[in-house]
Amino acid sequence: AVEYFRELSKLGITAKQAASQMVFTFALGSNIFMEISKLRAARLLWANILEAFGIPPIAMKIHGRSSHFNK
């Protein structure tokens, strides 16, 4: 996300505009507690990134899918 913010800013797109359109995809396995931890950590990182760029809190859009290893 940080790299996208930096590159898009060179094209004149603000970090706030980019943040509202971002979707993150995570592979999820069968260990439910580990996967919940992964998603919670991602949400915390997202909040820290937004704060660092001076963007008001925006909900993180998450898409979860089964990992290939799980199948």
Side-chain angles (χ1 to χ4, degrees), residues 39-55:
L39 297 175
R40 290 184 68 179
R43 288 177 42 216
L44 287 172
L45 287 171
W46 179 244
N48 288 338
I49 291 169
L50 293 178
E51 184 180 344
F53 278 87
I55 302 170

Side-chain angles (χ1 to χ4, degrees), residues 17-49:
Q17 291 171 327
S20 66
Q21 298 297 315
M22 286 188 165
V23 177
F24 297 89
T25 302
F26 291 94
L28 303 174
S30 59
N31 187 344
I32 188 71
F33 296 111
M34 185 66 75
E35 303 309 329
I36 290 171
S37 298
K38 179 180 10 180
L39 297 175
R40 290 184 68 179
R43 288 177 42 216
L44 287 172
L45 287 171
W46 179 244
N48 288 338
I49 291 169

